[in-house]
Amino acid sequence: MTAAYPGARPKLASLEAEAQGRRTASLLEDPAMADAFARLENDIVAAWRSSPLDRSDAREWLYLRLAALSAVRDELRLIVQQGALAERERQQRERESIDRREQGFAAGDPL
């Protein structure tokens, strides 16, 4: 699959997106992962606060690290959301399919 624009992720098949979303959700819910993100964020912010004002290069590097950490967290959350959406869409398709079959039976139409 090709992405719509450079840097975009290709769209996953519904079941694959669901599975990936569940795996990613379990990672985000893992206390070790939450601790790692919190520790990294706290360390970066502490280093930034204690850095000399005249060291803009070091402060910029710390800002970029913080932005990267945030981007990783946001990407993981997006994967979870896409998985949940794929699951809801699949469930909706299944309900609609059942409804169509039931309507066909009620009308006496063969399937």
Side-chain angles (χ1 to χ4, degrees):
M1 270 181 242
T2 59
Y5 56 90
R9 269 191 331 279
K11 184 171 172 68
L12 297 175
S14 181
L15 293 177
E16 185 180 349
E18 286 181 52
Q20 189 176 46
R22 283 190 297 273
R23 287 190 308 269
T24 304
S26 70
L27 279 175
L28 287 174
E29 293 165 1
D30 186 302
M33 180 69 83
D35 288 346
F37 272 107
R39 239 184 358 264
L40 286 168
E41 187 171 353
N42 290 338
D43 290 350
I44 293 167
V45 169
W48 176 78
R49 285 183 176 154
S50 67
S51 64
L53 293 176
D54 63 345
R55 292 291 316 272
S56 60
D57 56 333
R59 294 169 68 84
E60 178 71 14
W61 181 76
L62 291 165
Y63 170 79
L64 292 173
R65 284 186 66 195
L66 189 58
L69 180 63
S70 179
V72 169
R73 184 183 295 129
D74 291 347
E75 183 67 18
L76 293 172
R77 289 176 179 157
L78 178 63
I79 292 168
V80 172
Q81 291 171 352
Q82 289 173 335
L85 176 61
E87 182 177 8
R88 285 192 303 275
E89 288 173 345
R90 179 186 49 78
Q91 290 171 344
Q92 179 64 30
R93 286 191 305 273
E94 289 173 355
R95 281 191 299 274
E96 289 170 356
S97 177
I98 290 169
D99 289 347
R100 281 193 302 276
R101 281 189 296 223
E102 289 174 351
Q103 290 170 358
F105 282 133
D109 294 336
L111 294 179

